[in-house]
Amino acid sequence: MKQALFIGVSAGVLALAAPLAPASAQEGVANTGVDTITVTAQRRTQSIQDVPLAIEVVTADNIDAIAATSLSDLDQFVPGLDVSGGSPTQPRFSIRGVSTSDFGVGTDPAVGVYVDGIYAARSGASLLAFNDVSRVEVIKGPQGTLFGRNSAAGAISVTSNDPNIDEVEAELALRVGENNLRRFEGLVNIPFAETFALRLNMVVNQRDGLLIDAGTGEDYDRQDNWAVRAAVGWEPTALTDVVFRYTREKLDEDARPAIGITPLPAAPARPGVPVDTSTLLNPFDTPIYNDVTSNLEQRDLDEASLHVTHDFGSFTLQSISAFRYFETSNRQDEDGTNRIDLYFDTNNIEQNQSWYQEFRLSGANDRLDWVAGVSYYDENATQVSETDAFTDSIETVLFNLGAGTPFTDLQYGLLIPYNLPQRLLGLSWDESMHNRGDFSAFAAFADVEWRITDRFSLIGGARYTRDEKTFSWLNGPRSAPELDQALAELDALGVLALAGVSPADFGFDVVFDLSGAAGLACDNGVTVAEGVLCERSDSWNDISPRLVANYRAMDNLLLFASYTQGYKAGGYNSVEVGSRFENEDVDNFEAGLKWTAPDNTMRIAASVFHYLYKDKQAVRLVANVGGSGVPQYVVETSDETGTGMDFQVDWAPLPGFEAYLNLQYIDVTFDERITRSGTDLSGQPTGTPEWSISTGASQTWALPNGSEFELLGAYAYTSERRCNDESRQQLGCAVIGGVQNGEATQRLDLRAYWRDSEDRFQLGAYVNNVFDEQYIDGVGTLTADTFGTVHAQITPPRMWGVDLRVRY
């Protein structure tokens, strides 16, 4: 409490004391009030104060102020938004407590991410590098009408800068910092032939590791990423605008490290099963030991898009065409040890290509402001879920399941005593699930604002969507070529017969055991079995309406009330063969206001909301599925209710001084949910924290030579995770080594700039997480019931850096 009070007071002092600077220091700094922000959240350009939505905008200046490199760096400063970016090829987005927990290609996210109006379907390619970004709009609540499928929780819209045909631009930026951080960004915008412009941008981001392996001395959490974007703008007439963009991105990082928090007995003794949670170690004081082979997370992405806009006078036509292709892989340690008898890693491999086409019409007159359109989306995705182990660790699983120690018994009971050269321990054992999905979606939508009077208007809209999906699973025999060769040789010698076994006795699957689903009918005329391709085909139709009433009580005060519906398409669990689930629906009721002070020194937005999320699908790790004793990911369904409020205020009372406060309160509970293990969670909280707050201030001083100095501070706070019976059982709310998992979090960032009088040169320094607050950022229990091992991740420590920016 003392520390929280100290940080809160620090932020308050910055906000309140800054405007008390001597008046002479403010000369030359204009007071224009709060900045005007334009958004496209309603698919047309508007002032944020005219949009009856709960929306937060992160500008390019905001991104620079907190040294953000991707969306994962923004969530602490946007209350209600949560981005789990520890694995950038498998991020999870949550808005107002609604997210999708599945990492497979068989399902879609509940938060839609859009880049320049183009849907980034798979989460594997949604966490992109920030390069030449104009703004990020976080739109809260279901956006089924305006943004379409898979925006049931909300939408994140990233807008990049267009080519500029009017002037030459050039910019170079260099950032260096702790952990040998090196970030370079270059930009050039060149107009030519009067109607054309070429805009090129490149970002390179490199960093050494944040953690060190105690056994090998190797760094973990290293980054070596780059992205390049080329855009060509063409204005053939005053009424026509064409923009072509091509983006190439290469992500190359260490995969998420696993800090083992289970106390290990000396080998060959094994940790006990089930795990004694009272003995778990403090992850902040525990050395890290990982032995995963090729501990890499990689992504190669190519995207091309074409935007064509033509103004016909009474209406505007826009065409958006886009093609995207990416490949990802993410191999990471799952046991948190460097012992071969406990070795287990997973690798998620994806290939994805998609095509998107949208035609949009919009227009406005004295009474109507409307937009309508159609879109088509086509996607082909493949995924391989790999698990890698050794015969030593497979034997640990068998031992813990009561099936004995067959490899050890044979090796030390027969092979070594009889001087046979074959060995059965130390050999690789791999299992894989292969998935393929072919998806298409057609949509038609319209949204109209009817200004009945000068102060009162109604907005009505709807989107019709049809989704068609075909999905397949193929699980072949486990792959262990060295083991199979040794078994074949021993079988030929008659050694296995002496032990009463055969090679077939060792051909079982441990991870992807399909015995629990054997005989389940597939749509392609087969039943679930190992080595058999199982295919499902489904289609879903949905109409997502939107109704809003706006009342302009005063010229500077907008009151609104709305009903909106969101839709998330049905799908399949990638690792539960033959599974399928229906579409999800959310109904949201909201009322709010937007007010701007007459002198433009303050802007307030506030709303209260209530939603019901029906048939929400969640992928959970459940032990002993089908009696196998091995944990598997399964789909569970629930209905959830959320009630809360959003509040934002921006304040610019004096020249050079600005401050803001954003907060969200929310209460999310299960209306109905019974887990696979029979636990009834109905009426209990889902885990979403009640409070999230972001506040900050900046002060700019004019210096005698015409240059400026600016100081900024930003503080974020999130209350503790709310517990339920399941999260208590699965360590989500446990005290781990004296540290509370899910405790309240806070962070303070500071930044300082100097800019010359022409804003050509900028020199800055920043400190993120000033007080070095770190928290548990997830607990991995995938191997808890089989190996007796648990691992954890932690949030990054304090980081500092300096940067130089040169503009032309």
Side-chain angles (χ1 to χ4, degrees):
M1 286 295 294
K2 290 181 179 178
Q3 193 171 43
L5 180 61
F6 177 71
I7 293 177
V9 170
S10 298
V13 167
L14 174 64
L16 297 175
L20 301 180
S24 59
Q26 308 307 310
E27 294 176 4
V29 178
N31 182 22
T32 57
V34 293
D35 294 333
T36 299
I37 298 177
T38 58
V39 296
T40 54
Q42 294 194 121
R43 296 303 199 182
R44 48 232 192 226
T45 301
Q46 297 172 288
S47 167
I48 192 172
Q49 291 300 89
D50 294 331
V51 178
L53 294 169
I55 176 174
E56 293 195 33
V57 177
V58 181
T59 66
D61 289 340
N62 300 144
I63 291 171
D64 194 42
I66 59 174
T69 60
S70 72
L71 288 172
S72 63
D73 297 319
L74 299 183
D75 59 346
Q76 294 190 71
F77 301 98
V78 180
L81 171 67
D82 182 66
V83 182
S84 174
S87 294
T89 65
Q90 296 173 264
R92 288 168 174 79
F93 297 89
S94 172
I95 294 179
R96 287 182 173 174
V98 178
S99 64
T100 298
S101 58
D102 195 353
F103 53 82
V105 298
T107 188
D108 297 292
V111 176
V113 178
Y114 299 80
V115 181
D116 294 317
I118 301 162
Y119 177 49
R122 291 290 142 224
S123 61
S126 59
L127 202 64
L128 301 177
F130 280 151
N131 54 323
D132 203 21
V133 169
S134 171
R135 67 183 183 276
V136 178
E137 301 174 22
V138 180
I139 307 138
K140 301 177 182 180
Q143 303 300 319
T145 301
L146 296 170
F147 285 87
R149 58 198 285 274
N150 308 329
S151 58
I156 301 173
S157 178
V158 181
T159 302
S160 56
N161 291 306
D162 286 334
N164 186 345
I165 67 170
D166 295 323
E167 60 181 333
V168 174
E169 296 179 50
E171 187 173 305
L172 291 175
L174 176 66
R175 178 180 298 160
V176 295
E178 198 168 11
N179 302 108
N180 199 23
L181 170 70
R182 294 95 66 202
R183 177 182 170 87
F184 167 81
E185 183 171 2
L187 166 71
V188 61
N189 183 96
I190 305 173
F192 58 95
E194 296 185 353
T195 59
F196 285 89
L198 173 66
R199 192 176 185 91
L200 299 173
N201 176 269
M202 182 175 185
V203 173
V204 178
N205 191 80
Q206 298 173 324
R207 189 192 69 198
D208 291 348
L210 305 181
L211 298 170
I212 299 176
D213 192 291
T216 65
E218 185 177 357
D219 278 8
Y220 293 128
D221 267 350
R222 293 167 295 190
Q223 295 180 345
D224 186 6
N225 309 324
W226 60 267
V228 62
R229 174 179 294 160
V232 177
W234 178 37
E235 294 186 9
T237 72
L239 302 177
T240 306
D241 183 58
V242 180
V243 178
F244 173 79
R245 291 185 177 90
Y246 170 74
T247 300
R248 167 72 172 159
E249 181 178 297
K250 172 71 173 178
L251 183 146
D252 193 350
E253 301 186 0
D254 289 331
R256 178 266 298 145
I259 304 173
I261 56 175
T262 304
L264 299 179
R270 302 180 176 97
V273 174
V275 173
D276 182 355
T277 59
S278 67
T279 66
L280 294 179
L281 306 174
N282 185 331
F284 300 100
D285 299 331
T286 304
I288 183 171
Y289 295 96
N290 283 184
D291 54 0
V292 60
T293 304
S294 301
N295 180 43
L296 291 176
E297 185 163 13
Q298 298 175 314
R299 178 177 63 215
D300 288 288
L301 179 141
D302 292 273
E303 182 180 57
S305 66
L306 178 67
H307 290 67
V308 180
T309 305
H310 182 76
D311 186 353
F312 285 92
S314 58
F315 65 90
T316 299
L317 171 65
Q318 184 175 28
S319 169
I320 303 175
S321 309
F323 175 79
R324 168 179 283 198
Y325 177 83
F326 67 86
E327 298 178 352
T328 72
S329 64
N330 177 26
R331 184 183 297 279
Q332 55 193 23
D333 192 290
E334 299 291 356
D335 59 275
T337 77
N338 61 353
R339 285 175 44 169
I340 193 171
D341 62 327
L342 301 173
Y343 185 96
F344 192 72
D345 76 54
T346 59
N347 189 15
N348 183 70
I349 303 170
E350 287 187 47
Q351 283 189 336
N352 182 286
Q353 69 176 32
S354 61
W355 168 263
Y356 180 76
Q357 177 62 55
E358 179 177 327
F359 295 104
R360 188 187 307 165
L361 293 171
S362 60
N365 55 39
D366 291 342
R367 291 299 179 191
L368 298 178
D369 191 342
W370 59 272
V371 60
V374 294
S375 67
Y376 178 76
Y377 177 77
D378 183 81
E379 178 185 5
N380 305 108
T382 62
Q383 179 179 32
V384 181
S385 299
E386 287 186 353
T387 62
D388 301 290
F390 289 94
T391 50
D392 311 61
S393 49
I394 293 298
E395 186 169 82
T396 296
V397 176
L398 297 176
F399 175 80
N400 287 331
L401 295 178
T405 55
F407 300 116
T408 297
D409 295 345
L410 284 170
Q411 181 160 309
Y412 289 94
L414 283 175
L415 306 187
I416 292 178
Y418 287 93
N419 294 318
L420 296 174
Q422 292 82 6
R423 293 292 180 265
L424 301 183
L425 291 171
L427 308 181
S428 63
W429 179 294
D430 306 326
E431 299 181 31
S432 299
M433 180 70 73
H434 296 258
N435 302 113
R436 176 181 176 86
D438 296 297
F439 314 130
S440 63
F442 168 80
F445 64 94
D447 193 73
V448 181
E449 180 175 6
W450 176 28
R451 288 182 285 273
I452 299 174
T453 70
D454 291 342
R455 293 195 176 275
F456 181 71
S457 66
L458 293 175
I459 299 176
R463 180 184 292 257
Y464 167 79
T465 306
R466 178 174 175 81
D467 277 287
E468 296 181 353
K469 294 188 176 185
T470 298
F471 193 77
S472 64
W473 300 259
L474 176 62
N475 173 42
R478 61 102 179 101
S479 175
E482 297 170 308
L483 173 64
D484 289 339
Q485 180 180 346
L487 291 171
E489 293 172 356
L490 293 172
D491 188 47
L493 294 172
V495 174
L496 294 184
L498 290 176
V501 295
S502 70
D505 293 324
F506 297 89
F508 54 85
D509 280 3
V510 172
V511 179
F512 296 119
D513 177 15
L514 302 185
S515 59
L520 179 67
C522 305
D523 292 347
N524 55 332
V526 301
T527 58
V528 173
E530 187 176 89
V532 175
L533 182 75
C534 177
E535 188 174 271
R536 295 283 202 190
S537 295
D538 290 280
S539 63
W540 294 271
N541 298 283
D542 178 79
I543 296 178
S544 298
R546 174 180 185 241
L547 298 171
V548 186
N550 285 340
Y551 178 62
R552 183 71 64 176
M554 296 183 290
D555 291 343
N556 59 342
L557 175 61
L558 174 68
L559 305 177
F560 65 89
S562 66
Y563 163 74
T564 55
Q565 191 177 84
Y567 159 63
K568 178 176 175 293
Y572 316 89
N573 177 2
S574 297
V575 292
E576 187 178 5
V577 180
S579 67
R580 69 170 116 203
F581 49 84
E582 295 302 317
N583 58 308
E584 306 172 17
D585 295 290
V586 57
D587 295 285
N588 185 79
F589 301 88
E590 192 150 352
L593 64 86
K594 296 198 172 184
W595 174 81
T596 304
D599 59 358
N600 199 43
T601 58
M602 181 177 289
R603 177 172 56 225
I604 292 176
S607 65
V608 293
F609 59 86
H610 175 80
Y611 68 75
L612 173 61
Y613 204 121
K614 293 173 286 187
D615 298 320
K616 183 177 183 294
Q617 311 296 327
V619 171
R620 306 291 183 186
L621 188 65
V622 177
N624 201 34
V625 176
S628 68
V630 177
Q632 294 182 18
Y633 287 100
V634 299
V635 172
E636 295 182 343
T637 303
S638 65
D639 291 346
E640 299 178 8
T641 296
T643 303
M645 70 167 185
D646 283 288
F647 178 79
Q648 305 169 45
V649 57
D650 296 287
W651 186 40
L654 296 171
F657 176 73
E658 296 180 3
Y660 70 90
L661 170 66
N662 300 331
L663 66 84
Q664 177 183 276
Y665 168 81
I666 191 169
D667 175 21
V668 189
T669 58
F670 292 111
D671 261 15
E672 181 180 347
R673 180 170 172 215
I674 299 177
T675 69
R676 292 274 184 117
S677 61
T679 303
D680 188 352
L681 300 178
S682 303
Q684 298 189 35
T686 64
T688 302
E690 288 185 314
W691 289 96
S692 50
I693 302 171
S694 172
T695 185
S698 66
Q699 177 68 58
T700 302
W701 291 271
L703 303 179
N705 60 1
S707 61
E708 292 182 346
F709 178 77
E710 183 177 4
L711 178 65
L712 306 94
Y715 171 74
Y717 168 83
T718 302
S719 62
E720 66 273 12
R721 183 183 303 142
R722 300 178 67 197
C723 301
N724 57 49
D725 290 346
E726 183 183 51
S727 61
R728 294 185 185 96
Q729 296 168 4
Q730 297 186 353
L731 302 180
C733 289
V735 176
I736 299 174
V739 180
Q740 177 69 56
N741 185 20
E743 65 181 311
T745 66
Q746 55 189 344
R747 170 174 155 175
L748 176 66
D749 290 359
L750 294 177
R751 206 184 214 309
Y753 295 105
W754 172 84
R755 289 182 285 266
D756 75 328
S757 58
E758 297 182 348
D759 199 19
R760 293 287 181 87
F761 296 93
Q762 177 178 289
L763 181 64
Y766 67 89
V767 181
N768 288 344
N769 191 12
V770 171
F771 294 100
D772 201 22
E773 297 283 353
Q774 289 186 269
Y775 306 93
I776 296 175
D777 193 30
V779 178
T781 59
L782 182 60
T783 57
D785 295 317
T786 48
F787 297 147
T789 53
V790 178
H791 64 82
Q793 295 82 54
I794 58 178
T795 58
R798 174 177 50 229
M799 294 195 200
W800 59 266
V802 296
D803 46 34
L804 172 67
R805 186 180 299 271
V806 181
R807 296 185 178 93
Y808 173 78

